[in-house]
Each structure stands twice: as structure tokens, then as C-alpha cells.
DNA sequence: TGAATTGTTATCGT
DNA sequence: AACGATAACAATTC
């Protein structure tokens, strides 16, 4: 399930191959995946040149010289594969094809058909619907603190909300909360400044590490990453915490499997001993 | 056979 | 009434 680091890895690999290329043909083999519809996407795409290939949240964004942008969301199982490099597995799940003026054809393969190909005439509207980019300079501890302050949701579903912060999925959310020592059920507005600082550093830390390792491999869907060897809690239910040895718990939060170390991530803030008050009572 | 996966949407409750 | 929680949904693999 590609998240920010996996999408970033895909974008970086594809960028030199797609930049400046003109799309000469587009076909979809699964009309429902085209937004708003296949006709609009094809009309916008065919004949257009790609002037930039970037990432916004978990979207791959191809800016077009004729205006607007082509967006691809991989969702659960989307992958790109060049026609001449396709595996038999890819070939079974081709949902859309892009032919370029280079003569090569790029397949969008997607076993579960959740992926989306979107034409956005106004990228500003897309942008406005998405939360802050955690790796941009504007994402500071102070900004995160402000965003959290007036939210009463539990941390885990809030961090997964793409309109709140862009790019985190189940894996990196669990890893970030562990790295910050915060329980996924903690309420957003109950963090103290030090909690916020640790969460900010943890989010950026796990995402950067993910990108450095080309993302996390997830069975056949995304085989190229190495980040899975560095996961501290995700997928480790019942195994000992690498930091304290306690058994990692697997729970369900907002219909998502959630992994937590009960000792490193207490449900309430760490029990700090207030010595002045103890002294006063004695 | 059912559990697991993502993000959006609809619905219900506070 | 706005926000939060919850369930359903799309489709497939192991």
C-alpha cells in the first residue's frame, strides 16, 4: 500500500523518463478508475506534453503543457510498468495505457482496481483539499502544534486523514507514533509542547528514512524497497519491542490495524514525578 | 473462507 | 451545526 515514501520513490524513478515527453495515446480498460470520466482524461492527455512530474500527498502529478495536470493515485495495488518490462502478473492487471512520443508505452497495472487516474483542470482545488506536506519547510513544530490544538480526534485517525496531513498511511503512522512515544488513542489537543516536538521529528524522521530505503516492500505489490527491515512496530504484533522488550500489541483503531508498544507508548502522558508537589505534601 | 488493505462517502451521535 | 466516530464500499490475493 504505497504511502508517501513509496510514491516519492516511484516519482523519482519515472521523472527522467517522462519529463518533456508527449502523450500520443491513452486508453483505459477500467472506466471507473478515470475521474471525472475516460473521455475527459483522454482528451486532456492525448497530445499534451509533461512539463513536470511531482508528488502531492500520495498522488503522482504530471503537469501538462496545455494546462491542468494528470494525477495518478496508486491506492492499494497500483503500479507502473513499461510494456517491455512487464511481468506476467502486471500483464493480467493492466487498467490503463499511456503511449509516449518516445515510442514506449507505460502500463498502469492495478490488481484491486482501487487506483485512480484523474484529470484536474485546477490543481489549486486539489491542493486545497489536502493537508500540509510533512517534508516541506512550512511544516514546523509550531504549525503542527496549532493544527493539533483545535482537534479532539484520536491521533491515529487524525494522522491518517489526508486533509489534515498529507502522505501518511497505516505503516508510517504507526512507526511515527512509536518513534514519538505517543499512544494512537491519545487525543490531539492533549499533547504538551514536548509531545508535539517529538511527533514532528518522528513524522519527518520515518518518512525520510522510508525514502532513503526506497520505501517499504509489500509482497508482490511493491517489491523494491528495504524499509521493512527497519520497521519497529508495524506488522510485529506479539514480538518483543526492540527498545524495551515488551510484547508489541496489535489493536484496531478506526477499522485499521494498529501496532503499539504498551510500555514505550503509554495511553496517558509519561507519569512525570512532580517532586516539588511530593515534597510539599510530605 | 475470511481477513487485510486505502481513502472517500454516507450516516448517526454529541 | 460542526465535528467526530463508524460502517460500508470498491476488488483481489493468500
Amino acid at each position: 500500500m504505497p504511502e508517501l515514501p513509496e510514491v516519492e520513490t516511484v516519482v523519482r524513478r519515472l521523472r527522467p523518463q517522462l519529463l518533456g515527453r508527449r502523450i500520443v495515446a491513452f486508453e483505459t480498460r477500467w472506466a471507473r478508475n478515470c475521474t471525472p470520466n475516460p473521455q475527459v482524461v483522454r482528451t486532456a492527455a492525448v497530445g499534451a506534453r509533461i512539463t513536470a512530474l511531482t508528488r502531492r500527498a500520495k498522488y503522482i502529478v504530471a503537469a501538462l503543457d496545455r494546462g491542468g495536470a494528470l494525477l495518478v493515485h496508486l491506492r492499494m495495488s497500483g503500479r507502473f510498468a513499461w510494456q517491455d518490462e512487464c511481468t506476467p502478473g502486471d500483464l493480467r492487471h493492466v487498467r490503463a495505457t499511456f503511449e509516449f512520443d518516445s515510442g514506449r508505452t507505460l502500463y498502469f497495472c492495478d490488481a484491486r482496481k482501487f487506483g485512480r487516474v484523474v484529470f484536474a483542470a485546477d490543481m489549486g482545488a486539489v491542493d486545497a483539499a489536502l493537508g500540509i506536506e510533512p517534508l516541506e519547510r512550512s511544516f514546523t513544530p509550531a504549525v503542527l502544534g496549532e493544527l493539533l490544538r483545535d482537534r479532539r480526534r484520536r491521533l491515529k485517525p487524525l494522522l491518517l486523514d489526508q486533509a489534515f496531513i498529507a502522505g501518511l498511511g497505516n505503516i508510517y503512522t504507526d512507526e511515527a507514533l512509536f518513534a514519538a512515544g505517543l499512544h494512537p488513542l491519545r487525543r490531539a489537543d492533549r499533547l504538551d509542547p514536548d509531545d508535539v516536538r517529538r511527533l514532528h521529528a518522528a513524522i519527518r524522521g520515518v518518512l525520510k528514512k522510508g525514502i532513503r530505503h526506497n520505501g517499504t516492500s509489500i509482497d508482490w505489490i511493491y517489491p523494491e524497497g528495504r524499509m521493512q527491515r527497519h520497521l519497529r512496530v508495524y506488522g510485529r504484533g506479539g514480538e518483543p519491542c526492540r527498545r524495551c522488550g515488551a510484547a508489541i500489541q496489535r489493536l484496531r483503531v478506526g477499522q485499521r490495524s494498529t501496532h503499539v508498544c504498551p510500555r514505550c507508548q503509554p495511553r496517558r502522558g509519561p507519569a512525570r514525578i512532580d517532586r516539588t508537589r511530593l515534597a510539599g505534601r510530605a
Side-chain angles (χ1 to χ4, degrees), chain A residues 74-150:
Chain A
L74 304 173
R75 289 282 194 112
M76 287 293 299
S77 57
R79 301 163 37 81
F80 275 113
W82 291 102
Q83 186 175 42
D84 47 341
E85 298 169 357
C86 256
T87 67
D90 289 331
L91 225 42
R92 275 203 305 277
H93 307 300
V94 178
R95 308 302 178 200
T97 66
F98 300 83
E99 190 186 333
F100 294 93
D101 57 358
S102 58
R104 297 187 89 191
T105 298
L106 188 63
Y107 284 164
F108 176 56
C109 309
D110 183 17
R112 290 186 177 75
K113 298 184 179 177
F114 293 176
R116 292 281 176 273
V117 180
V118 178
F119 174 67
D122 177 18
M123 193 58 202
V126 175
D127 215 46
L130 293 166
I132 191 166
E133 282 290 328
L135 293 183
E136 290 201 343
R137 300 183 73 87
S138 55
F139 182 67
T140 62
V143 167
L144 178 62
E146 279 173 35
L147 289 171
L148 291 167
R149 198 171 44 201
D150 42 34

Side-chain angles (χ1 to χ4, degrees), chain A residues 49-75:
Chain A
R49 195 181 288 280
I50 295 174
T51 57
L53 195 74
T54 55
R55 179 193 57 74
R56 173 72 170 107
K58 301 177 194 172
Y59 285 101
I60 298 158
V61 182
L64 304 179
D65 63 346
R66 298 193 309 202
L70 218 47
L71 277 61
V72 174
H73 200 301
L74 304 173
R75 289 282 194 112

Side-chain angles (χ1 to χ4, degrees), chain A residues 175 178 206 209-210 212-213 215-216 226-234 236 242:
Chain A
E175 293 299 313
F178 172 80
V206 298
K209 192 170 180 182
R212 211 158 55 233
H213 293 286
T216 304
R226 300 181 316 278
M227 179 64 182
Q228 66 278 7
R229 288 191 265 169
H230 301 272
L231 299 180
R232 304 279 231 281
V233 286
Y234 184 84
R236 299 193 63 244
R242 297 220 149 89

